[in-house]
Amino acid sequence: MASLNVYSVLVVLFLTCGAVMATKENDQTIKENNCETKIGLPCVLEAFTSIFERGSISNKCCGELVVLGKVCHSALVKRTLENPLFKDLSPSTSIANIIQTWNNCLALIDSPSPSA
């Protein structure tokens, strides 16, 4: 639980302060698409946990992630991976988890809901 709190603080700091090491292209994409305003902080934390700690993501946050869009999702994840604070993460595992989380959310949102 303590590691989740540490990651939560880091994510908040990262999203509010930006990453010094982020590429100009990612920063430009994030700025032009208003990416940081399209998803709420609780869902950012859920998505982060789902991707980097293999946690789960709620239906609500999957919806926000899909509305955020693939371009913003990719740019924000790339910026996270470029941050020196996350240098110990395995890029191949992270990329697989990123794709899996995106695809799971997309499938969940695209699937027809059962009739009441």
Side-chain angles (χ1 to χ4, degrees), residues 7 39 43-57 65 68 73-74 76-78 80-81 89-103 105:
Y7 277 121
I39 186 169
C43 290
V44 168
L45 297 176
E46 271 191 42
F48 185 89
T49 301
S50 173
I51 293 167
F52 297 109
E53 294 184 2
R54 299 306 306 145
S56 61
I57 185 168
L65 185 65
L68 173 70
H73 174 65
S74 295
L76 290 168
V77 167
K78 284 177 188 175
T80 300
L81 291 173
L89 294 175
S90 162
S92 59
T93 302
S94 297
I95 290 168
N97 294 344
I98 291 160
I99 293 168
Q100 182 177 7
T101 298
W102 175 261
N103 288 340
C105 285

Side-chain angles (χ1 to χ4, degrees), residues 21-99:
M21 301 299 290
T23 64
K24 290 180 183 178
E25 182 180 317
N26 279 338
D27 284 345
Q28 184 175 353
T29 299
I30 291 165
K31 184 178 179 181
E32 287 175 355
N33 292 287
N34 297 314
C35 296
E36 293 175 323
T37 64
K38 290 183 175 180
I39 186 169
L41 183 58
C43 290
V44 168
L45 297 176
E46 271 191 42
F48 185 89
T49 301
S50 173
I51 293 167
F52 297 109
E53 294 184 2
R54 299 306 306 145
S56 61
I57 185 168
S58 66
N59 292 358
K60 175 188 178 294
C61 289
C62 266
E64 285 194 32
L65 185 65
V66 171
V67 168
L68 173 70
K70 184 75 170 174
V71 170
C72 283
H73 174 65
S74 295
L76 290 168
V77 167
K78 284 177 188 175
R79 189 169 76 176
T80 300
L81 291 173
E82 291 167 350
N83 188 314
L85 294 171
F86 302 105
K87 69 178 187 244
D88 294 332
L89 294 175
S90 162
S92 59
T93 302
S94 297
I95 290 168
N97 294 344
I98 291 160
I99 293 168

Side-chain angles (χ1 to χ4, degrees), residues 1-9 53:
M1 193 58 148
S3 67
L4 179 59
N5 290 337
V6 170
Y7 277 121
S8 299
V9 169
E53 294 184 2

Side-chain angles (χ1 to χ4, degrees), residues 100-112:
Q100 182 177 7
T101 298
W102 175 261
N103 288 340
N104 289 347
C105 285
L106 197 57
L108 179 72
I109 300 307
D110 285 344
S111 66

